[in-house]
Amino acid sequence: DIQMTQSPSSLSASVGDRVTITCRASQSISTYLNWYQQKPGKAPKLLIYAASRLQSGVPSRFSGSGPGTDFTLTISSLQPEDFATYYCQQSYSTPQTFGQGTKVEIK
Amino acid sequence: EVQLLESGGGLVQPGGSLRVSCAASGFTFSSYAMSWVRQAPGKGLEWVSAISGSGGSTYYADSVKGRFTISRDNSKNTLYLQMNSLRAEDTAVYYCAKSPGTIAVKSYFDLWGRGTLVTVSS
């Protein structure tokens, strides 16, 4: 199975900050990397697919980069509604695996 | 409105069985692969199983292979997960999730349901 490792596990940031979350795959996954946002008690929401493609309706302050083994999710200017947990997911091979999550908290 | 609505969760004893369902609306259900993803309390996301749009191809995580069965009824726009020989470690919120195409592999999830809680305990 492909292991996905996110860093950091949590971070504290202020509104307006630029935030970067990293996801590393245990082998090359091309651009088969997706990012989700989850708020407490809610279902995950797709933000980015294919490493860098913004899902329809997602604000442009979210961006992603890849390919290969190292990927990043960047929030250019953190907004109050962005405080949540973020997960990466590889869809290169089955079983599809998720990172352990990064919790973004208010500083 | 495009949505997925899970049902059927509840409390079941270890070794017991349960079937959860996911009713889809607002899109052509048979055109899209579907998956089940679970989340244990306070933990991260774990992919469980997937099925192609036609239902002809199915996939399972090793942790549930041989115990869980995914199926779909395209005439009823409904996805199912039959769970047998349940264990305490199967306790989780079970989400159904839609893929953007008919193939279940190399895909992401562009629509999620609210989830249904399955608790395995004596």
Side-chain angles (χ1 to χ4, degrees), chain B residues 3-4 19-25 27-36 49-60 69-82 96-105 107 109 111:
Chain B
Q3 66 175 1
L4 300 170
R19 187 178 80 162
V20 292
S21 303
C22 171
S25 58
F27 61 96
T28 305
F29 182 66
S30 60
S31 295
Y32 300 98
M34 299 292 296
S35 292
W36 289 98
S49 183
I51 187 167
S52 62
S54 67
S57 298
T58 58
Y59 308 85
Y60 298 94
T69 302
I70 191 171
S71 62
R72 63 191 299 160
D73 185 336
N74 286 343
S75 68
K76 295 182 177 179
N77 293 340
T78 303
L79 174 73
Y80 303 100
L81 185 67
Q82 176 67 44
C96 63
K98 170 188 166 291
S99 291
T102 191
I103 299 173
V105 295
S107 185
F109 309 125
L111 178 68

Side-chain angles (χ1 to χ4, degrees), chain A residues 19-92:
Chain A
V19 169
T20 298
I21 299 169
T22 297
C23 181
R24 174 166 288 177
S26 59
Q27 66 182 74
S28 178
I29 57 171
S30 184
T31 58
Y32 290 96
L33 191 283
N34 314 298
W35 291 98
Y36 301 87
Q37 175 194 66
Q38 186 179 34
K39 296 181 179 179
K42 301 293 187 181
K45 171 188 172 184
L46 177 67
L47 299 176
I48 301 280
Y49 64 96
S52 60
R53 300 191 178 189
L54 195 66
Q55 173 68 353
S56 176
V58 174
S60 60
R61 61 181 180 273
F62 291 93
S63 63
S65 67
T69 57
D70 293 330
F71 300 84
T72 59
L73 172 69
T74 299
I75 309 171
S76 60
S77 178
L78 198 66
Q79 298 302 300
E81 59 268 29
D82 300 336
F83 291 96
T85 300
Y86 294 84
Y87 293 93
C88 63
Q89 173 229 355
Q90 67 82 16
S91 50
Y92 180 80

